Amino acid sequence: MASISLSKSEKSYIQTSLLSTPPLRGDGRSLLDYRTIALETGIAPLANGSARLNIGKPTHEGGGGTEVLGAVKLEVEDVENGDGVDGGRIVCSVSCSPAAYPHLSSNALDDLSYDMTTLLNQTLSHPSLHPPNLCILPKKKSWCLNLDVIVLSDSGNVYDALFMAARAALWDTKVPITRAVEYQAKRGGKNPQENTDVDMDTETEQQSGFDTRHISRAVDFELPDYWDEGETLAGQDLWPVCVTLNIMPPTYYLDATPQEEASTPLRLLLAMSFPKSASSRLQATRLLGPGEIELSQIKRLIQEGEKHGRELYSALEAKLREEDVRRNQKARDKFVLR
Amino acid sequence: MVRQMVVESVYCKILNDGGFRSDGRRQYELRDINIDLGQQGSADGSASVSHGLTQVLVSVFGPREAKMRSQTIHDRANINVEVAVAPFSTGERRRRGRGDKRILEFASTIKSTFEPVIQTALYPRSQIDIFVQILQQDGGVLQACINATTLALASAGIPLLDFVCAVTGGVHSTSPLLDLTTLEENDVPHVTVAVMPRTGKVTLVTMETRLHVDRFEDIFRVGCEAGKVIHKEMRAAVKERTRSVGSGGGPDVGDRDVVMEERMEDY
């Protein structure tokens, strides 16, 4: 992780304060307090779903805080001839703005972007999270979901921000509704070259009554309503949230500032998913930093992390629902009142 | 949005008989300008400018010690411009790496626009970094980048000879148009002009389409005039920002004092 450089005495100062009784942090928070998180969805109207998230932006001064922008764009892919996978696929990418890491060279910035991309991609494109409505025509055409995340500024705890922005953007995504279309040659000899569009549902008389196979002859699709944004992406409750536990033996703390991150040798990232109908799942873990920890501690930390993850998850979900209401219902009400 | 082959029975006119364009503007009307000079991250100066639906964010760092000693110049500051385009900024998703030729050309255009304007002789052997992030594209991206860069440099306190105000202009069969959207840029030959409003000097004229020489003079003059109009908006925004920063954070400071007093009374 790209951390700013601190002197040894400053690091020792921060570590001693965190381990003291009561634990002290630079901005007066407790060990388990998060900074204020601001979230807005629908910030990129050209995208199918988007969100902008900011952790720790002080309200009266403006500026600062970890700011992350995420957007989802859907592309149609050909399964037979192109890169498409039957049932659709998810591709994530993270790009760090040089304004977020002004002290890094462009190569180091690329490396950092690549690390974050790998983490996000491997976690979110896992089959257990795959949404079922990314297929257009089975074995012919499917959606490719491109999730692009941009880190605009980093003031600590960027991994939590990445996953929250990804979850918010995916929550906000609407998949256009498609209808399969089949071409059929016009029967009755006169103009054998003409083709007409026929809906999938109509039966053709050439099929034999004994033939019980249902072979789809759909070759293309259409949008029944061009202006409809579509249905929401399925699996909204599956997308994971990430909790970063900064490990300072014998305790840990959450939501570190850049100075605290530079003073903590070890961090545990936990990406957890809390589906409604099943028990919570751990989707990804990472141990970052040069420090070390005993194996027996990991289990305890994962359990503690799950508690915090659940709180974060329910808070995020409440906000996302509120955003849905603000953008759809309230906007409609305002429009009616005009 | 998926592009379908839907045959439209009505095609979009660039300029209809009533004198209105496809988005309802008049011939010489500029799009809504929105300027936000609030601080972004740890940047020395930053500006977020949107012309209609085109949105651009510029952060400026400097003057500071150069990252690479080899790039320092002994008597001036080195200006480094880096441009990043968000993949979701256009209708079709397109991911352009930082080394993309178009992007490098774009960055060097911005750099050569500002080299005569920034007083680099005041900061020898240092570096001024300009980071441009394009968030949404709907035509006039270069104009938005230049305007945002001017504001970000002013917000960072870097001495400039003058503002640089840019605007795009196009000609639709003898009628000049200003501030083009993507739809218009695809159809109509267009030129981007950047002027310094006080002196009227021009620091950038760029055109990639073919335009008849007779038409060029009209659109060039109109573009310079439009630059002065944008200058007024930019000056108002900078004044507002200076006022709010100068009065120590604005009205919220007063609130904070009130809260403190209440708390002290509790004790």
Side-chain angles (χ1 to χ4, degrees):
Chain A
M1 205 16 236
S3 51
I4 56 174
S5 54
L6 290 185
S7 65
K8 275 198 188 139
S9 39
E10 204 169 344
K11 284 185 193 172
S12 158
Y13 180 75
I14 294 177
Q15 284 167 356
T16 324
S17 324
L18 288 166
L19 293 172
S20 65
T21 352
L24 302 166
R25 290 174 82 169
D27 45 10
R29 286 183 284 148
S30 83
L31 292 185
L32 305 176
D33 268 346
Y34 266 82
R35 289 168 287 180
T36 319
I37 302 178
L39 171 69
E40 193 182 344
T41 52
I43 44 101
L46 289 171
N48 298 87
S50 55
R52 186 171 188 148
L53 188 108
N54 191 310
I55 301 182
K57 182 187 175 99
T59 42
H60 47 266
E61 280 145 34
T66 303
E67 184 142 2
V68 166
L69 203 64
V72 166
K73 278 205 83 96
L74 295 167
E75 280 175 342
V76 181
E77 276 187 331
D78 205 326
V79 175
E80 288 163 359
N81 306 324
D83 292 325
V85 169
D86 193 22
R89 65 188 181 126
I90 298 182
V91 179
C92 307
S93 81
V94 179
S95 92
C96 297
S97 165
Y101 301 100
H103 53 281
L104 286 186
S105 72
S106 50
N107 285 336
L109 204 64
D110 282 341
D111 284 344
L112 184 61
S113 303
Y114 185 71
D115 282 344
M116 293 183 183
T117 302
T118 315
L119 174 59
L120 204 62
N121 204 17
Q122 282 179 347
T123 311
L124 294 182
S125 56
H126 194 264
S128 63
L129 297 173
H130 190 86
N133 56 351
L134 284 184
C135 179
I136 306 175
L137 294 174
K139 296 202 177 42
K140 291 206 182 66
K141 292 208 191 285
S142 63
W143 290 114
C144 175
L145 191 148
N146 291 301
L147 171 64
D148 298 299
V149 184
I150 303 181
V151 178
L152 293 174
S153 75
D154 184 0
S155 188
N157 208 14
V158 71
Y159 287 101
D160 289 9
L162 284 179
F163 275 93
M164 272 196 276
R167 180 175 156 78
L170 287 163
W171 175 286
D172 189 43
T173 304
K174 302 250 184 325
V175 181
I177 303 174
T178 58
R179 192 168 55 191
V181 145
E182 173 187 315
Y183 294 109
Q184 201 179 53
K186 209 171 180 182
R187 288 189 305 281
K190 269 192 190 163
N191 299 320
Q193 307 306 323
E194 248 178 66
N195 284 335
T196 55
D197 291 345
V198 169
D199 260 317
M200 271 284 288
D201 306 314
T202 54
E203 302 270 344
T204 60
E205 278 156 309
Q206 284 119 351
Q207 274 184 318
S208 153
F210 290 117
D211 192 349
T212 51
R213 293 175 302 171
H214 175 63
I215 303 173
S216 154
R217 285 191 292 185
V219 293
D220 205 352
F221 68 96
E222 63 172 11
L223 302 175
D225 186 351
Y226 185 70
W227 298 108
D228 183 22
E229 280 184 345
E231 52 177 8
T232 45
L233 187 65
Q236 274 185 332
D237 56 334
L238 291 177
W239 304 114
V241 288
C242 173
V243 174
T244 306
L245 304 172
N246 304 279
I247 298 167
M248 183 71 67
T251 64
Y252 64 90
Y253 63 99
L254 301 176
D255 197 12
T257 58
Q259 291 84 358
E260 289 170 344
E261 275 184 353
S263 325
T264 311
L266 189 66
R267 272 174 295 156
L268 176 63
L269 301 184
L270 299 168
M272 291 164 286
S273 167
F274 299 94
K276 294 259 178 316
S277 49
S279 58
S280 53
R281 295 200 299 236
L282 185 61
Q283 297 287 143
T285 53
R286 285 282 191 287
L287 213 51
L288 298 177
E292 58 187 28
I293 189 172
E294 287 176 16
L295 208 53
S296 51
Q297 302 288 328
I298 298 271
K299 186 170 175 183
R300 180 185 66 92
L301 287 172
I302 293 181
Q303 281 172 343
E304 304 265 343
E306 194 211 340
K307 268 191 302 167
H308 303 302
R310 206 174 275 280
E311 279 171 21
L312 191 64
Y313 181 90
S314 33
L316 185 62
E317 180 161 346
K319 177 64 183 173
L320 287 170
R321 288 197 190 279
E322 200 185 300
E323 279 288 296
D324 272 348
V325 166
R326 172 186 74 92
R327 283 174 57 212
N328 300 323
Q329 217 172 302
K330 283 192 183 163
R332 244 179 266 140
D333 294 340
K334 257 205 262 178
F335 187 77
V336 165
L337 287 172
R338 254 178 40 175
Chain B
M1 279 290 227
V2 173
R3 292 276 177 268
Q4 266 308 86
M5 291 218 292
V6 175
V7 175
E8 307 247 58
S9 55
V10 180
Y11 91 97
C12 251
K13 283 199 166 182
I14 299 292
L15 189 65
N16 74 7
D17 303 322
F20 289 102
R21 288 149 75 170
S22 55
D23 56 355
R25 282 185 291 150
R26 288 254 174 218
Q27 230 185 319
Y28 294 127
E29 196 178 329
L30 302 174
R31 289 178 287 183
D32 279 340
I33 300 178
N34 194 22
I35 299 175
D36 181 13
L37 294 175
Q39 200 201 342
Q40 282 280 334
S42 57
D44 292 323
S46 61
S48 167
V49 168
S50 50
H51 286 273
L53 294 176
T54 301
Q55 196 182 358
V56 153
L57 175 65
V58 173
S59 300
V60 165
F61 290 85
R64 57 179 183 169
E65 192 177 337
K67 269 184 280 174
M68 295 185 48
R69 277 296 174 79
S70 53
Q71 286 172 355
T72 56
I73 309 166
H74 70 283
D75 60 348
R76 311 201 294 280
N78 179 40
I79 303 173
N80 175 37
V81 181
E82 286 182 29
V83 176
V85 182
F88 46 83
S89 56
T90 51
E92 307 277 318
R93 179 185 179 268
R94 185 80 186 273
R95 190 188 165 86
R96 291 189 190 271
R98 252 177 328 107
D100 190 82
K101 292 293 189 295
R102 281 286 285 165
I103 296 205
L104 288 179
E105 189 192 345
F106 202 79
S108 95
T109 309
I110 297 179
K111 178 173 169 171
S112 55
T113 308
F114 283 94
E115 277 211 297
V117 181
I118 301 178
Q119 297 188 28
T120 49
L122 295 173
Y123 305 106
R125 289 185 303 278
S126 37
Q127 180 164 314
I128 297 174
D129 288 304
I130 301 172
F131 299 128
V132 180
Q133 176 77 42
I134 299 173
L135 295 171
Q136 248 179 274
Q137 295 189 46
D138 184 34
V141 180
L142 183 56
Q143 116 194 357
C145 289
I146 291 177
N147 292 335
T149 307
T150 308
L151 290 164
L153 287 167
S155 170
I158 293 177
L160 304 171
L161 289 177
D162 195 358
F163 278 69
V164 181
C165 308
V167 76
T168 45
V171 179
H172 171 68
S173 71
T174 76
S175 342
L177 304 173
L178 280 181
D179 201 358
L180 308 179
T181 59
T182 312
L183 198 69
E184 291 162 347
E185 272 185 359
N186 291 337
D187 261 358
V188 143
H190 54 277
V191 57
T192 305
V193 178
V195 297
M196 301 206 295
R198 262 191 334 177
T199 51
K201 290 204 177 136
V202 175
T203 75
L204 172 80
V205 178
T206 174
M207 183 168 73
E208 289 171 351
T209 47
R210 271 187 335 182
L211 182 60
H212 198 285
V213 155
D214 295 342
R215 309 270 161 265
F216 181 75
E217 197 203 327
D218 288 336
I219 193 57
F220 183 69
R221 250 184 315 107
V222 172
C224 293
E225 291 296 315
K228 301 205 169 91
V229 171
I230 295 186
H231 173 233
K232 264 196 286 194
E233 287 298 314
M234 287 164 68
R235 255 185 48 169
V238 172
K239 260 195 179 155
E240 176 62 39
R241 168 76 180 162
T242 314
R243 208 171 45 76
S244 77
V245 167
S247 68
D252 291 330
V253 175
D255 289 344
R256 265 197 297 177
D257 287 345
V258 168
V259 169
M260 280 292 287
E261 277 164 24
E262 282 175 353
R263 250 193 245 139
M264 284 178 67
E265 275 163 11
D266 287 340
Y267 291 113

